[in-house]
Amino acid sequence: MICKLIFATIAVYLCFIPHNVEAKRVSNHEWDILIFTQQWPVTVCKELEKHHTKKCNMPTKRDSWSIHGIWPTKLGTIGPGFCNRTWLFDPEQVRPIEQELIQVWTNIDADSQLYTLWAHEWSKHGTCAAVLDSLNSELKYFSKGLDWLTKYSMTDILEESNIVPSNTQGYRVLDIHNAIKNKLGVNPAIECGNEGGINMIDEIRICFDKNLVLHNCDGIRASKIIGHQVVATNCDVSKDVLYPEYGYKSSLYVQLYKLVSFIKWLTL
Ligand SMILES: *[C@@H]1O[C@H](CO)[C@@H](O)[C@H](O)[C@H]1NC(C)=O
């Protein structure tokens, strides 16, 4: 009987304590670094189609990476998020830069409202970034995204290493990582989507400290080791990554890509 009671007490203890710890961590709005995430619209559109979006709103400038967001992040975890639920996104605050935002901080999901992405990024991430004087308003937060995209556009950084969109030629994750590392001197994080078994580049993240100085992304969630380097990625590193061209549409390309990969495999 006593034994059972002790077991029950331990069981209850084990069940509830971790939840308490979890709750504490979630309500804590502290963070270590900012992740600046750029996304590749072609892959984002493919991912949206899987979730039944009928139409994609692509950035007007071809081959341009688009901003997803600036995310305050505690190392080893995701978030915090929604740090001030009463501070809602107000389109009037970003009116002076709205046209630029439409171009490069594009809401690719055309089934949603124009402000959906910005309102989400602001509520979830911007309100947490706002503890910094340099990011304590909607205008500052969104302007910083524009500024960083101009300085650190992945279109340009990858192109300098001859990594350009292609529907037939894939790239090694390590080569993409090195292109960024060589240019910026810090480790990025590379995210893939999956399309019919093919790794497609989806997002590239670079990190900043609280002084808005470039910082390694080491320690953010999702790190794998390739060779002797730490490459933060969710991509399947046993395969090449496709960086699909604008206009990438059907499974025809997927078939072609698979065929080319197969022939390469046969002949190498
Ligand atoms: C939350 O946002 C509101 C609206 O901007 C502001 O007045 C308030 O001071 C903020 N609260 C905190 C704790 O920062």
Side-chain angles (χ1 to χ4, degrees):
M1 183 62 201
I2 297 286
C3 241
K4 270 188 191 159
L5 203 63
I6 291 171
F7 266 121
T9 311
I10 291 172
V12 165
Y13 183 82
L14 287 180
C15 283
F16 287 98
I17 290 304
H19 291 280
N20 286 342
V21 171
E22 186 78 12
K24 227 184 215 159
R25 205 187 49 196
V26 169
S27 65
N28 181 349
H29 293 154
E30 279 171 25
W31 51 269
D32 303 310
I33 59 173
L34 292 162
I35 301 177
F36 173 54
T37 300
Q38 298 178 41
Q39 54 187 7
W40 181 240
V42 183
T43 307
V44 174
C45 180
K46 280 277 141 199
E47 295 286 321
L48 285 170
E49 281 173 358
K50 273 193 220 166
H51 296 102
H52 312 296
T53 290
K54 285 173 219 70
K55 206 161 155 275
C56 290
N57 182 25
M58 300 298 270
T60 43
K61 191 158 163 270
R62 266 181 86 93
D63 286 359
S64 86
W65 282 69
S66 183
I67 302 168
H68 188 170
I70 299 174
W71 305 334
T73 298
K74 189 152 181 60
L75 297 176
T77 174
I78 288 175
F82 302 102
C83 296
N84 183 342
R85 291 195 182 260
T86 61
W87 197 348
L88 299 177
F89 177 75
D90 170 13
E92 285 313 314
Q93 304 301 315
V94 298
R95 199 68 76 199
I97 56 169
E98 183 175 312
Q99 287 312 311
E100 286 166 84
L101 290 176
I102 289 172
Q103 299 291 321
V104 300
W105 202 319
T106 310
N107 181 21
I108 295 169
D109 184 353
D111 287 354
S112 64
Q113 303 290 315
L114 173 63
Y115 298 125
T116 304
L117 175 64
W118 305 337
H120 173 78
E121 294 302 309
W122 174 256
S123 309
K124 187 169 178 189
H125 307 287
T127 56
C128 301
V131 292
L132 299 183
D133 289 343
S134 50
L135 297 172
N136 65 359
S137 74
E138 285 144 272
L139 188 59
K140 286 185 192 174
Y141 176 81
F142 287 97
S143 298
K144 187 47 71 180
L146 297 179
D147 176 34
W148 280 345
L149 190 77
T150 306
K151 284 193 182 122
Y152 307 115
S153 155
M154 285 303 148
T155 310
D156 302 339
I157 292 173
L158 296 179
E159 198 179 313
E160 277 186 49
S161 290
N162 297 317
I163 297 173
V164 293
S166 163
N167 289 333
T168 49
Q169 144 113 59
Y171 300 96
R172 294 192 319 151
V173 179
L174 192 56
D175 291 336
I176 298 172
H177 171 94
N178 285 339
I180 301 159
K181 171 93 192 213
N182 292 342
K183 178 74 184 171
L184 303 181
V186 288
N187 293 326
I190 300 164
E191 293 281 313
C192 284
N194 187 302
E195 179 65 25
I198 290 177
N199 255 342
M200 264 190 206
I201 193 150
D202 188 25
E203 297 191 330
I204 293 181
R205 303 175 181 172
I206 56 174
C207 298
F208 293 84
D209 66 18
K210 289 182 172 177
N211 295 315
L212 311 189
V213 174
L214 276 168
H215 193 277
N216 281 319
C217 286
D218 305 8
I220 68 173
R221 275 274 287 266
S223 290
K224 278 189 187 169
I225 312 260
I226 302 179
H228 297 294
Q229 313 191 43
V230 174
V231 175
T233 186
N234 76 337
C235 305
D236 176 354
V237 297
S238 68
K239 297 178 184 166
D240 280 358
V241 171
L242 192 65
Y243 179 13
E245 291 169 47
Y246 265 55
Y248 179 99
K249 282 223 170 56
S250 65
S251 56
L252 180 67
Y253 287 117
V254 173
Q255 298 310 329
L256 186 64
Y257 178 77
K258 279 187 177 161
L259 185 66
V260 170
S261 303
F262 179 65
I263 292 167
K264 257 179 154 174
W265 177 80
L266 272 184
T267 53
L268 283 180

